[in-house]
Amino acid sequence: MSTSKKSVYLETTIPSYATAKPSSDIIVAARQLLTNLFWEKEKHKYNILISQFVIDECSGGDKEAAQKRLQFLSGIEQLEIPHGVEKLAIAYQKILSIPNKAKYDCLHLAYCVLGKIDYLLSWNCTHLGNVTQNKIRSYNDVNSLWTPSLVTPEFFTT
């Protein structure tokens, strides 16, 4: 019998970095490189997942860029909307003090929690980083909820 692969949920920053024009900003360029290294060399080791919220976010903005992001997502398994995802996202938004303009971050997180996904892969370290991880873990432990690991592509490529 084969062992099942761990699951990785792609938050919107991943297709954005993977499909953007090469940047002259050294930090952005490094993130693009790490994202593409993960995609080329590591993704086959994992069950890659997205939600409708990722598709919605990737559809916005510049039409050509949106088309590239959506093409990147083509063929990736899309999760069904789990019961309670919006209610849990609202709770996270309050706990983490996330503004309304960034509410999708809470929806991505809620998907991962309710879907018991192993990793939430993102470059959004402001709302989905280490400080956030500790607050989420505390809330989830008290409420007997799964806690995914919040990671960047660097986690898989180093």
Side-chain angles (χ1 to χ4, degrees):
M1 291 206 156
S2 64
T3 58
S4 64
K5 294 179 178 182
K6 291 201 176 230
S7 53
V8 176
Y9 177 97
L10 300 184
E11 183 266 342
T12 310
T13 57
I14 300 306
S16 294
Y17 274 94
T19 61
K21 295 176 185 170
S23 178
S24 59
D25 178 300
I26 193 165
I27 303 289
V28 174
R31 288 179 176 179
Q32 289 174 319
L33 176 64
L34 289 166
T35 301
N36 287 313
L37 281 173
F38 167 78
W39 199 249
E40 292 167 16
K41 301 190 183 286
E42 302 295 324
K43 78 170 181 176
H44 69 279
K45 298 176 185 175
Y46 301 92
N47 184 20
I48 307 295
L49 305 162
I50 58 172
S51 70
Q52 183 61 47
F53 297 119
V54 176
I55 294 168
D56 292 347
E57 284 187 295
C58 284
S59 298
D62 178 82
K63 288 186 190 237
E64 185 179 323
Q67 185 178 3
K68 287 179 184 178
R69 291 188 296 268
L70 292 172
Q71 180 60 36
F72 179 87
L73 296 174
S74 176
I76 297 174
E77 182 181 346
Q78 183 180 335
L79 297 165
E80 295 292 322
I81 298 174
H83 176 72
V85 73
E86 291 187 16
K87 183 178 177 183
L88 184 57
I90 290 168
Y92 287 138
Q93 190 172 359
K94 286 181 182 179
I95 293 161
L96 303 172
S97 301
I98 293 179
N100 271 338
K101 68 179 182 175
K103 69 181 179 180
Y104 273 99
D105 297 338
C106 298
L107 289 163
H108 298 308
L109 176 59
Y111 254 94
C112 291
V113 169
L114 296 175
K116 296 187 177 178
I117 296 169
D118 297 299
Y119 301 103
L120 192 168
L121 186 61
S122 174
W123 281 113
N124 182 352
C125 298
T126 301
H127 297 139
L128 300 172
N130 288 334
V131 173
T132 303
Q133 179 85 50
N134 295 333
K135 289 179 182 178
I136 294 163
R137 187 172 309 285
S138 294
Y139 177 85
N140 288 359
D141 286 352
V142 167
N143 292 284
S144 301
L145 295 169
W146 170 264
T147 302
S149 294
L150 308 179
V151 298
T152 66
E154 184 176 22
F155 175 83
F156 298 103
T157 57
T158 55

